[in-house]
Amino acid sequence: MTDQRFRNAAGGRIDRSRPLTFQFNGRRYDGFGGDTLASALLANGVRLVGRSFKYHRPRGIVAAGSEESNALVQLGTGARTEPNVRATQAEMHDELSAASVNCWPSVEVDVGAINSALAAFLPAGFYYKTFMWPPRAWRFYEWFIRRAAGLGRAPTEPDPDRYEKTYAHCDVAVVGAGPAGLAAALAAGRVGARVILADESSEFGGSLLGEAATIAAAPALDWVAGAMAELAALPEVRLLPRTTVFGYYDHNHLGLIERVTDHLGPRTDTTLPRQRLWKVLARQVVLATGAIERPLVFDDNDRPGVMLASAARTYANRWAVRAGDRAIVVTNNDSAYPAALDLSEAGVNVQAVIDARETPPDAWREPLRVRGIDLAAGRTVAAALGRKRVEGAEVYELAADGSRLIGAARCYDCDLIAVSGGWSPTLHLFSQSGGRPRFDAGIAAFVPGESRQAERSVGAARGTFSLAGCLAEGFAGGAAAALACGFGDGVAPPVPATGDTPAGPLRPLWRVPTAGHGGKAFVDAQNDVTADDVELAAREGYRSVEHLKRYTTTGMGTDQGKTSNVNALAILADLTNATIAEVGTTTFRPPYTPVTYGALAGRSVGDRFDPVRMTGLHQWHEAAGALFEDVGQWKRPWYYPRRGETLHQAVARECGAVRASLGIVDASTLGKIDIQGPDALKLLNLVYTNAWDNLEVGRCRYGLMLKEDGMVFDDGVTARLGPNHYHMTTTTGGAARVMGWLEEWVQCEWLDMRVHFTSTTTHWTVVAIAGPNARRLLAELCPDIDLESAAFPFMAWRDGTVAGIPARVFRVSFSGEQSYEINVPSSCGVALWQVLMTAGAKYDITPYGTETMHVLRAEKGFVIVGQETDGTTTPQDLGMDWIVSKKKTDFIGKRGLTRADCGRADRKQLVGLLPENSKDTLQEGAQIVAEIRPKPPMPMEGHVTSSYWSAALGRPFALALLMGGRARHGQTVAVSSYGTTSWAKVVPPIFWDKEGERLRG
Amino acid sequence: MVEPYLRQSPLDHLSLDARAVGDPGGAGVVAGERRFIAKVSLRGDPADPAFAAGAKTALGFAPPVAPNTVDGKRDRYALWLGPDEWLVVGAPDTQDKTVAALRAALAGCHAAVTDVSEGRTIIRLTGAHARDVIAKGCPIDLHPRAFGPGRCAQSRYARALVILHQLDEAPTFDLHVDRSFADYLWRVIEDASLEYGFAVVAEPVMAALKRRRTPQGQD
Amino acid sequence: MHLIACPWCGPRDEVEYAYGGEGHIARPARPEALSDGAYADYLFMRRNPKGVHAERWVHAAGCRRWFNVLRDTVSHRILAVYKMGEPRPEAGP
């Protein structure tokens, strides 16, 4: 479709044998393998790529790497669309599609640009000031603000891609594979250290990919290729291209995001993930993160065509793209000179280098003259001309103190203004590691200060900008890091010769004086913060740099101040008559660049999000058509509907079967703890409220556990297996909690107590049979236990065999019926269950689930910890004073119970409720109120904790916690729920077999 | 003991036998379930001479005192789980014998011997990418310089608690997991193996693969 | 993301541990002898220092042993790890 008019016929690191087409804002363009979206757009002459965040100003590409502040695009479409992608990091693939963000209806004609005309009314802090009044109007404003906010949009469909996550460990992690990083990895890798080398680009080499430098009298990229070959051959070195180290966390943990297949485009084959998140633990970290060139702050410095000089150079060298036809290069330091020469070499008409310094180093004069490039010293650009693209530049002489422009402007006719305001080491990871940067006036930038973690910065990341210096520091840093891990002798490999031109000092240049025709000078292009905003903030008293950041938003968002940080600080320092060192810098936050939610979630999605714990009988329940209830991570059968049955009908049938004949339930999830040791009895007496001294071997007892504050914590039945050997059961949800609780007391408090705990929860499959025919059925299958009540009474256990399976049988009951809990080795659970089902057919044995279990126990007034209790409930509140020993001198919670508050007569106490309307099943959680009012709030006196329809009673009933409830039996109370009121009679909390004859019989 | 056909292992419902191959070929991760292995929890103070002597008598070797190591013999070995805790692992259905022997030898000591065989199963992993697939869910460093045959560690894999035990340099790992988490763990590991290739093998193949590689080590 | 050295298992990832709050809080020998105020102090009142904090952790997904840690709540540096029953060491630098 297009001719890539700005692409040179030769040179660069693109693959011309691999032509690709892509779409941008609906138009088709051509590019090559090896391009980024940014390089391909520039090759096609596309300069306008987006609209700015607040003012909707037209914006173009300013950088070549992750520091890009303008060219954020919406990549892809549909479920795979991704906002906030830097065009400079989007690798080109065939059929890539991207669109500008923050513009409507198009990037050329953007309605939101009206904000630009209204700019005078949108200063820093605008939102804070404007939308504060009238207070009720906020909701109205918010709707518009939210519509206007943000860059791009998130997909609304499920993410079709696969993301992986992995842990990794290494001795030395090297961040950045420029010359310093490669040298560090070589030095550490050669002596045998485990090295991870990560770089965000598709290719290793860093700045060398964009410069025509030499190492050892050969092209620097030859050295890079040699280093890569050597590293690839080292077995303990892991190379991670396309991988951004986005976070530096405590204890030398790094977060890495690897873009595994993004560069291949959307794929149907998901064998490989789209992205992989690495959680790396490194013994030593070498930060070779390089430096970011600073833009200059002059009027309309955001016009498309104003670009960092290093970026224009990189486009020319790495992608054979001319970022413009006619350029001027504006600088305050030496680094823009080789950029100007490389641009000229690539065919850009470089008219002049404009250097703010009065006397630029002589070394550059001759090379410029040879290329016909003017040199204008002591001058700088004060305004860009043009709107949707640069059409010219006004250059002035600069006063010696930089405070004003002198004389008349010289206008250059140009479409590219390549700027360099000096370089700032990339300190983001150093700052995240806890280190405090230090200002280095020599390079007018912050450099790493003292290390707080096991890390060191090398090369440009610590302010060393010469190639020789980067290599030397990289080698030394890598060798030292390896030595710190016990590898090598710490001696750095020799540094090869480089072709550096010695650099002269820079002239700090912050706010260029305004040219006076009302242009905006941007400090932070991504957040649309201008020099005027910084000035306003300073005038209004925001002198702390952290306040400045929050008030103006400079340095926030996904950009994290990459290009803007130092300029903003320097301008604030100027305005407040402070030094930059005094102003200090803000703390950088992870992530360095955005990380997809998909990568953070990894494979913990769908049915892998959380484990589903299944008992050994799970498949049987499934086959029987059970519906399941989540109890913690467990799936428990809720009820077993027959064809066409509702929950209500199924539960009524299951309850009826248990009360009339025989039911069977999977009770395997109950927590089980094996307790052994001479002090086991002492322990039980401390953790339970009741006394355990007289429990005989062969018998079991119900117990209640409290927290130290006297509130109910867990309950269960514990059996004495031997003189010093007990089998404790806990609630399903409390199994791990109780085990941890016992371990904590014994390990932290009662260190001399001789007792051991072993969790046996899943060792046993527990099948409970309950109902008047329970004993008859068991007797058929269990030849070796005398089941007569005299020999095997309620609350006893016996070992024997059931259906030929070794079993431990507990005679306990949670249903109020004659009941046996048969414990067998888990692998035999299905066999046991099937035999019971077959042999029990004559009793119409009926499997029942948790719902029926709950109804049956509630009819008996048995509480469930966590349902009838909520962490503020004492045993007395439950009417269980009988289980609290008065004789024991101590148990956990005893002192808590003696607080006066626990004896208050008006505490919420457990009661039964019988709704007056016998068709009216109360809502669980409904409030009992002292007075019915048209709408809440109403004076609350308690709440319904359990509520069911009872087949046995032929009516609904409930359990509730009611203030002073025990003294209110016989009263009628109002129960309010969702605007409806029910009336219920307060009764004792027991509805079935009050004497307990059935379960003992 | 119960007739084997009446018993079900925690992963039986996945029909792994039906998926098992005789030759895993190029699969980077090879996995199988070791069913019904005997596992006995042993607690006691190794500094108590009576306990140390009793345990050694009953087991035929002294339980290791170095944290996170495994010691013993081919058919019965002990994993260090804590300063007073070991997991004694043995051939299928030997747990009753082991429990009886330990209880007899440790009578009179403060010790605890508990059969936990039925509460856990073992997923065996081997193959060129066994370490990579474990690294996807487990924070333990399994590099040969940091871990190796005869080492064990308790940790997590994704959201399940596991005991890792490295058996040989192939490498082969046993992952002990609570039976109620076994289905989850298996599915997470199989999913994580996608990029490496995954093969299921039955126990005899597992054992044969292992014998071929290493003559020694616990089995 | 902490790397915590279990006194038995050595350095392990934070995901293996559970935090147990402030350390060295002994259960009163005779709780019944305490006033409500003194008992509430034992139950609820905890230090929240900016700086070195003595706390207890359990290697929940590992050897399940409780132990003590001295940790700087500002830098998250771990200054010491020691077993239950051992006295609190001097805080390091």
Side-chain angles (χ1 to χ4, degrees), chain B residues 43 67-68 81 83-85 139-140 153-156, chain C residues 8-9 12-13 15-16 59-65:
Chain B
R43 305 290 302 268
N68 298 300
L81 299 186
D84 63 355
E85 182 173 0
I140 301 273
Q154 295 158 95
S155 185
R156 297 169 59 134
Chain C
W8 287 275
C9 302
R12 293 286 188 93
D13 194 283
V15 299
E16 293 185 3
H59 194 185
C63 65
R64 301 202 328 277
R65 282 346 181 244

Side-chain angles (χ1 to χ4, degrees), chain A residues 162 164-167 169 192 194 236 270-272 276 487 603 607 609-614 616 619 633-634 674 676 678 754-758 762-763 825-828 830-831, chain B residues 2 6-8 13 36 41 43-44 84 103 110-119 135-141 143 145 159 178-181 183-184 187-188 191 194-195:
Chain A
R162 182 183 176 91
E164 296 271 5
K165 249 194 241 212
T166 190
Y167 290 95
H169 304 258
R194 295 164 64 190
E236 299 299 345
T270 53
T271 306
L272 280 176
R276 191 191 307 273
F487 296 92
R603 297 298 292 158
D607 62 0
F609 177 70
D610 201 37
V612 170
R613 298 183 70 183
M614 303 186 302
Q619 282 73 37
Q633 289 173 318
W634 289 102
D674 186 272
Q676 296 179 46
R754 291 168 305 159
V755 62
H756 290 300
F757 311 103
T758 306
T762 49
H763 178 77
S826 275
S827 65
C828 305
V830 173
Chain B
V2 185
L6 288 175
R7 302 178 67 191
Q8 291 198 345
H13 64 287
F36 308 132
S41 166
R43 305 290 302 268
D84 63 355
R103 286 208 175 134
H110 171 41
V113 178
T114 314
D115 179 11
V116 293
S117 307
E118 300 274 337
K136 287 189 185 187
C138 175
I140 301 273
D141 185 2
H143 189 277
R145 291 177 189 168
R159 285 166 205 265
D178 187 278
R179 66 172 294 134
S180 64
F181 286 93
D183 171 86
Y184 165 81
R187 287 187 299 103
V188 169
D191 177 78
L194 179 68
E195 64 184 293

Side-chain angles (χ1 to χ4, degrees), chain A residues 280-601:
Chain A
V280 173
L281 175 61
R283 295 170 72 191
Q284 294 282 323
V285 174
V286 177
L287 296 173
T289 49
I292 292 172
E293 196 168 30
R294 290 193 292 264
L296 291 170
V297 183
F298 56 92
D299 291 352
D300 295 327
N301 60 344
D302 63 328
R303 294 303 186 205
V306 178
M307 183 181 279
L308 296 172
S310 60
R313 184 188 190 191
T314 298
Y315 285 114
N317 288 323
R318 184 168 175 185
W319 290 291
V321 167
R322 303 183 308 282
D325 285 326
R326 302 172 312 285
I328 61 169
V329 176
V330 188
T331 187
N332 66 348
N333 68 90
D334 279 31
S335 71
Y337 285 84
L341 296 172
D342 285 2
L343 287 177
S344 175
E345 174 72 30
V348 179
N349 173 11
V350 181
Q351 302 172 57
V353 171
I354 318 288
D355 192 333
R357 297 174 295 184
E358 297 287 348
T359 49
D362 286 338
W364 298 112
R365 291 183 182 274
E366 182 59 13
L368 288 190
R369 192 192 61 74
V370 169
R371 291 232 155 246
I373 303 171
D374 287 345
L375 175 59
R379 284 168 166 72
T380 196
V381 62
L385 305 175
R387 218 176 74 76
K388 290 185 190 167
R389 63 185 305 161
V390 166
E391 289 163 3
E394 288 187 1
V395 170
Y396 287 84
E397 187 181 343
L398 194 59
D401 64 356
S403 66
R404 62 198 168 84
L405 306 173
I406 296 173
R410 166 156 185 201
C411 287
Y412 284 88
D413 172 20
C414 58
D415 61 356
L416 174 64
I417 304 175
V419 297
S420 178
W423 291 79
S424 301
T426 310
L427 299 178
H428 295 69
L429 294 177
F430 170 76
S431 174
Q432 290 173 22
S433 79
R436 302 293 293 178
R438 164 179 73 75
F439 192 72
D440 180 342
I443 59 169
F446 284 93
V447 295
E450 196 184 322
S451 289
R452 295 291 172 89
Q453 297 205 38
E455 56 79 31
R456 68 200 74 217
S457 295
V458 295
R462 71 181 289 266
T464 300
F465 298 137
S466 72
L467 180 52
C470 286
L471 291 172
E473 286 186 10
F475 280 132
L483 178 62
C485 300
F487 296 92
D489 53 10
V491 177
V495 180
T498 56
D500 282 317
T501 306
L506 61 59
R507 175 182 180 178
L509 187 56
W510 309 118
R511 172 63 162 110
V512 175
T514 176
H517 16 260
K520 284 190 170 305
F522 284 87
V523 172
D524 182 333
Q526 188 185 89
N527 294 294
D528 256 1
V529 179
T530 66
D532 287 350
D533 290 327
V534 176
E535 196 180 322
L536 177 68
R539 256 202 335 264
E540 294 186 351
Y542 292 91
R543 304 212 155 193
S544 149
V545 61
E546 294 289 352
H547 291 160
L548 175 80
K549 172 175 170 178
R550 281 151 187 81
Y551 193 57
T552 64
T553 70
T554 188
M556 291 174 55
T558 65
D559 187 64
Q560 286 293 303
K562 291 185 184 66
T563 51
S564 63
N565 181 55
V566 173
N567 282 341
L569 305 176
I571 291 171
L572 181 67
D574 249 7
L575 293 165
T576 54
N577 292 317
T579 64
I580 297 173
E582 284 164 355
V583 167
T585 180
T586 54
T587 306
F588 297 107
R589 311 282 178 198
Y592 178 68
T593 48
V595 179
T596 57
Y597 275 110
L600 294 172

Side-chain angles (χ1 to χ4, degrees), chain A residues 825-883:
Chain A
S826 275
S827 65
C828 305
V830 173
L832 172 70
W833 184 280
Q834 284 172 335
V835 171
L836 290 167
M837 287 301 296
T838 307
K842 56 183 160 298
Y843 304 117
D844 194 19
I845 188 168
T846 302
Y848 65 95
T850 50
E851 189 68 17
T852 291
M853 185 178 85
H854 287 177
V855 176
L856 298 174
R857 65 86 205 176
E859 288 172 347
K860 280 290 291 177
F862 293 155
V863 301
I864 290 184
V865 173
Q867 185 154 342
E868 270 67 51
T869 73
D870 62 2
T872 67
T873 314
T874 66
Q876 289 82 2
D877 294 341
L878 297 172
M880 295 173 73
D881 208 22
W882 53 269
I883 205 172

